[in-house]
Amino acid sequence: MRLLVLTASPRTPDIATALERLALLANAEIHVLDKKQQANLRPYLAPRELVRFDRVLLDVPFKRLRRQAALLSSISGLLIYEEDACQNYLDSSKWKGAFSRFYRALPGARIIVTGASVAGRLRKECLDVTFLPKGYDPRSIFNEGLCRDIELGFVGRTASAAYGGRKALLDRLAKHEPLRLLRAEPGDDYRRILNRIRFFISADVGLGEYMAKNFEAMACGCLLFAFRQGEEEEAIGLRDGEHLILYSSLDELRSRLSWARSNPEAVRDIAEAGRLFVERSLNHEVLGERLYSELSKPWPAFSELSFWARFRARFLI
């Protein structure tokens, strides 16, 4: 397989490890694009360039792809990897509905999203969508065996409108428990803070999928307390009380925290099982292999697409 990969820099989280693994499996040419280059993909996707490739993988932020539908609609073998498609269904997001409109303009493309429920909703809109969960980079995120001097911690953003539910729950918890809301730059500082946290409090309320920080915390040996997402846990393979602790309300979270404080041996067992689970299933090398598997599947030729799909792509973008 001859593969063209266009990815973004800067990118958080960085999936370079996944793309390097993918390049070992496919004959890949990878271009890391700055913001200006991302906004104009035409030099990389000109017909004279595309004849060299069987597949094209785009890992570029939606806000820079969405205005290039006319260009992308004519590309065969196109796979888009998207980590923010949950915003398609968030009332608080300025991108609500925009992902659906964009994907409908690309009848020959396949889409990978990082939420099982999001994938299901997009498939109901007759879009070709696959679910792959987010993961973590084992080169920068790992258990260092440090003293866990922060009992309850959360590391990440709460200011965005999309994270309104997260902020509300964490603020309520902090009124009753010694929760520390922390920030850290990607890299060593972030890993070291995760390694100091005993119980990582995840609050992905209303997002419908698991953010990468859940798996990063597990990989660093934290016991993850995660807000239930419904079908996501089964789709990923996460089991409550075996890999992590789930909750659906503040009262349930506090009750399960009380149990954890009284059962240190069980806590160690669950945290270790969670670490081993993500190490085995959700590290970025595995993501690279799963991307290769998706890219290796047969692609419908444009001649096999319905008349209306081709009409929509050409005239209704």
Side-chain angles (χ1 to χ4, degrees), residues 28-286:
E29 182 177 306
I30 300 175
H31 294 271
V32 181
L33 311 182
D34 61 27
K35 293 179 180 179
K36 183 177 180 179
Q37 293 168 320
Q38 294 163 34
N40 179 22
L41 299 178
R42 192 171 297 278
Y44 305 95
L45 300 177
R48 65 179 179 275
E49 297 294 330
L50 290 179
V51 295
R52 299 190 290 119
F53 302 102
D54 304 302
R55 298 282 187 269
V56 176
L57 172 63
L58 293 185
D59 170 45
V60 174
F62 174 76
K63 63 184 178 182
R64 297 192 181 91
L65 278 187
R66 68 187 186 92
R67 298 188 184 278
Q68 302 183 70
L71 170 65
L72 302 179
S73 65
S74 62
I75 298 173
S76 61
L78 174 63
L79 180 66
I80 297 175
Y81 178 73
E82 178 55 65
E83 294 188 339
D84 291 325
C86 63
Q87 296 197 46
N88 191 60
Y89 301 108
L90 298 182
D91 291 336
S92 59
S93 175
K94 65 180 179 180
W95 305 118
K96 184 179 180 181
F99 290 83
S100 292
R101 292 190 294 272
F102 176 65
Y103 296 148
R104 282 196 293 270
L106 309 178
R110 287 180 171 164
I111 317 298
I112 287 177
V113 299
T114 52
S117 60
V118 171
R121 295 178 75 172
L122 289 171
R123 281 194 291 265
K124 288 180 180 178
E125 299 177 32
C126 299
L127 296 168
D128 191 345
V129 179
T130 298
F131 161 62
L132 289 181
K134 294 182 173 79
Y136 77 99
D137 185 351
R139 295 191 304 197
S140 61
I141 299 295
F142 48 84
N143 187 2
E144 295 183 280
L146 302 181
C147 174
R148 298 192 182 273
D149 59 338
I150 301 173
E151 185 194 34
L152 305 181
F154 171 82
V155 188
R157 294 189 297 158
T158 59
S160 169
Y163 297 139
R166 170 190 288 177
K167 184 178 188 304
L169 192 148
L170 292 173
D171 286 347
R172 289 170 60 207
L173 179 64
K175 292 179 180 179
H176 303 281
E177 303 282 357
L179 175 66
R180 293 183 60 180
L181 302 178
L182 305 163
R183 295 297 300 270
E185 291 299 317
D188 293 345
D189 288 345
Y190 178 57
R191 182 185 68 250
R192 287 171 186 150
I193 284 184
L194 289 179
N195 271 270
R196 293 174 57 197
I197 295 172
R198 186 182 184 203
F199 302 146
F200 188 94
I201 308 300
S202 170
D204 295 332
V205 181
L207 298 180
E209 68 177 74
Y210 276 73
M211 300 294 104
K213 65 178 67 278
N214 295 281
F215 310 128
E216 292 165 344
M218 295 171 76
C220 287
C222 305
L223 175 57
L224 178 69
F225 285 76
F227 188 83
R228 282 187 180 87
Q229 299 297 331
E231 63 186 273
E232 302 299 309
E233 288 85 16
E234 182 176 357
I236 297 171
L238 294 169
R239 290 190 288 273
D240 184 21
E242 182 177 341
H243 305 120
L244 75 172
I245 301 294
L246 298 178
Y247 67 93
S248 299
S249 67
L250 178 61
D251 287 344
E252 184 180 11
L253 171 55
R254 294 193 66 201
S255 174
R256 304 202 78 177
L257 278 170
S258 178
W259 172 87
R261 288 169 174 141
S262 301
N263 291 272
E265 291 186 6
V267 163
R268 285 193 293 270
D269 289 345
I270 297 170
E272 179 63 7
R275 187 189 68 78
L276 292 173
F277 176 85
V278 297
E279 183 180 278
R280 180 177 65 251
S281 305
L282 296 172
N283 75 72
H284 279 175
E285 291 185 351
V286 173

